[in-house]
């Protein structure tokens, strides 16, 4: 089926992530390696975008001031609590761009992590050790802040509270307001204290605007045939080719924090037999993989169902609606990049 014995498959990879690797990857993804506040182009029709740039710049100044502390007698400095910034908005309005720009603006030790990477860091090092690891940082940036279960709610609430008390500032992005985290996913009222604690840490900055990934663009590309996908994959030594169901099963064998290592060195992902999914666990793993592919700028070429039909209407009406819509937005952007990839010349 793959047309060549030399074609690589993601299902053959079994990545391991060492504690050292977890720390080393706490930087903005390759897609945002060269961004700055100057490269963010606000939409003139959306004044909240220009205002968000100013809010981020002000946050960076405050983060540095807080880390330096307040002078006391005999040259000692009093530790000041860190500040929090929460960038809220729809898909494709530049939240991650601004978060990464904030990371680069601030000097000194700092970390940039997805929400999943942060929870994995805490589980690998332990809660107390994780606090000690990050306690001297100027700031921690958390991209796509999500709370999928009560355990994560409690863990991250207490972790961030402890870091802020130690002078670490926290910036985060999300499509959900802090006080609404967890809404529709679990009994949020049982964890209201933790959710309110999180909300109290942050100043919320709203960013409005349409998804830049799809401005004036056509709908999802028509899927190719299985044979065409396999033939195109065979023309690249750094591409992978996988059956959709086999890939979904493989993703279930590892923690999502390993997905970044799973796609390391891959320049394009080819998938055959895509179809809508009805299992929420499978869907959430696909969301995590999509995020890693998008961060790395890896195009996707697929056969089967259109990628914008991957998640059912029932799923899109549930508590993870925003996650699924973000994944669709990113998948469509990646599939357009792969439209002519591996074509016969």
């Amino acid at each position: 089926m793959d047309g060549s014995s030399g074609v690589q498959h993601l299902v053959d990879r079994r990545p391991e992530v060492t504690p050292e690797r977890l720390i080393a990857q706490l930087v903005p993804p390759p897609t945002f390696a060269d961004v700055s506040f100057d490269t963010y182009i606000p939409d003139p029709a959306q004044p909240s975008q220009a205002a968000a740039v100013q809010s981020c710049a002000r946050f960076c100044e405050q983060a540095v001031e807080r880390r330096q502390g307040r002078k006391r007698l005999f040259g000692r400095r009093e530790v000041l609590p860190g500040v929090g910034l929460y960038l809220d908005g729809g898909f494709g309005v530049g939240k991650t761009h601004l978060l990464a720009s904030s990371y680069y603006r601030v000097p000194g030790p700092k970390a940039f992590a997805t929400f999943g990477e942060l929870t994995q860091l805490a589980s690998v090092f332990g809660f107390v050790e994780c606090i000690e690891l990050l306690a001297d940082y100027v700031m921690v940036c958390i991209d796509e802040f999500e709370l999928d279960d009560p355990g994560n709610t409690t863990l991250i609430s207490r972790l961030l509270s402890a870091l802020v008390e130690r002078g670490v500032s926290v910036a985060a992005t999300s499509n959900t307001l802090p006080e609404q985290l967890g809404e529709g996913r679990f009994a949020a009222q049982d964890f209201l204290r933790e959710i309110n604690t999180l909300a109290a840490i942050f100043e919320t900055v709203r960013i409005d605007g349409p998804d830049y990934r799809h401005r004036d663009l056509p709908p999802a590309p028509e899927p190719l045939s299985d044979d065409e996908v396999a033939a195109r994959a065979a023309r690249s030594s750094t591409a992978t080719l996988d059956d959709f169901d086999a890939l979904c099963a493989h993703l279930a064998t590892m923690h999502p924090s390993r997905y970044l290592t799973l796609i390391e060195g891959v320049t394009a992902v080819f998938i055959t037999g895509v179809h809508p999914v009805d299992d929420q666990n499978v869907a959430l793993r696909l969301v995590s993989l999509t995020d890693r592919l998008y961060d790395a700028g890896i195009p996707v070429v697929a056969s089967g169902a259109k990628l914008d039909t991957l998640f059912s209407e029932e799923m899109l009406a549930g508590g993870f609606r925003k996650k699924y819509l973000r994944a669709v937005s990113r998948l469509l952007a990646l599939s357009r990049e792969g439209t002519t990839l591996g074509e016969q010349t």
Side-chain angles (χ1 to χ4, degrees):
M1 176 65 181
D2 62 27
S4 169
S5 59
V7 175
Q8 299 182 62
H9 309 282
L10 291 177
V11 296
D12 293 335
R13 296 182 168 205
R14 287 166 176 77
E16 294 295 332
V17 182
T18 63
E20 292 76 19
R21 174 61 187 268
L22 277 176
I23 296 174
Q25 67 187 37
L26 296 179
V27 296
T31 307
F32 299 96
D34 300 313
V35 300
S36 68
F37 292 139
D38 291 336
T39 62
Y40 181 84
I41 310 300
D43 184 344
Q46 304 291 340
S48 64
Q49 295 187 7
V53 177
Q54 297 304 314
S55 295
C56 288
R58 186 169 60 252
F59 164 81
C60 291
E61 294 175 0
Q62 292 174 331
V64 173
E65 292 171 357
R66 293 284 171 150
R67 183 72 280 173
Q68 290 174 342
R70 182 185 292 120
K71 280 189 177 180
R72 302 182 68 181
L73 294 176
F74 310 113
R76 295 180 181 177
R77 286 186 175 272
E78 176 187 0
V79 174
L80 295 174
V83 291
L85 182 71
Y86 198 94
L87 301 176
D88 173 69
F91 316 107
V93 295
K95 298 188 302 294
T96 303
H97 185 135
L98 290 177
L99 187 68
S101 298
S102 299
Y103 174 92
Y104 291 122
R105 172 68 67 90
V106 170
K110 55 204 171 182
F112 187 107
T114 64
F115 184 80
E117 286 171 339
L118 189 62
T119 56
Q120 176 71 352
L121 195 71
S123 66
V124 168
F125 286 94
F127 181 76
V128 174
E129 290 78 4
C130 190
I131 292 173
E132 292 301 320
L133 177 69
L134 302 173
D136 292 328
Y137 280 32
V138 179
M139 74 174 180
V140 173
C141 299
I142 309 170
D143 199 23
E144 295 299 349
F145 203 111
E146 295 283 357
L147 295 178
D148 296 342
D149 61 63
N152 283 344
T153 303
T154 303
L155 173 69
I156 297 303
S157 171
R158 295 175 183 174
L159 176 64
L160 295 185
S161 296
L163 290 175
V164 167
E165 287 177 5
R166 301 278 286 269
V168 182
S169 293
V170 180
T173 71
S174 182
N175 303 311
T176 305
L177 291 170
E179 64 269 18
Q180 296 173 332
L181 288 167
E183 204 170 81
R185 303 173 199 178
F186 54 81
Q189 65 273 15
D190 294 338
F191 297 88
L192 195 59
R193 181 173 62 83
E194 276 79 11
I195 293 171
N196 286 340
T197 299
L198 282 170
I201 290 173
F202 297 109
E203 172 199 352
T204 300
V205 173
R206 175 73 187 177
I207 309 176
D208 299 305
D211 188 339
Y212 78 90
R213 290 185 283 264
H214 308 301
R215 291 174 192 162
D216 304 317
L217 290 176
E222 288 295 327
L224 303 173
S225 69
D226 288 356
D227 289 340
E228 180 61 18
V229 169
R232 291 193 184 192
R235 296 182 188 121
S236 172
S237 61
T238 52
T240 59
L241 172 65
D242 290 275
D243 169 74
F244 180 69
D245 285 331
L247 178 58
C248 290
H250 188 54
L251 294 178
T253 66
M254 67 189 77
H255 189 279
S257 63
R258 298 186 183 185
Y259 294 176
L260 181 61
T261 311
L262 178 70
I263 61 173
E264 194 169 46
V266 175
T267 58
V269 167
F270 292 78
I271 306 172
T272 57
V274 171
H275 61 80
V277 297
D278 54 14
D279 184 306
Q280 191 153 263
N281 291 320
V282 173
L284 290 173
R285 293 185 197 109
L286 289 171
V287 169
S288 294
L289 178 63
T290 297
D291 287 343
R292 300 291 74 73
L293 291 171
Y294 183 77
D295 286 345
I298 299 175
V300 173
V301 181
S303 66
K306 285 187 175 183
L307 293 173
D308 58 0
T309 66
L310 192 57
F311 307 110
S312 68
E313 288 300 320
E314 182 179 359
M315 283 188 160
L316 292 177
F320 294 105
R321 170 182 172 81
K322 291 181 178 180
K323 266 193 171 184
Y324 296 145
L325 290 176
R326 183 186 78 229
V328 169
S329 170
R330 291 181 164 186
L331 276 173
L332 293 185
L334 294 176
S335 67
R336 291 191 185 100
E337 290 180 23
T339 302
T340 60
L341 204 63
E343 281 186 335
Q344 192 81 52
T345 56

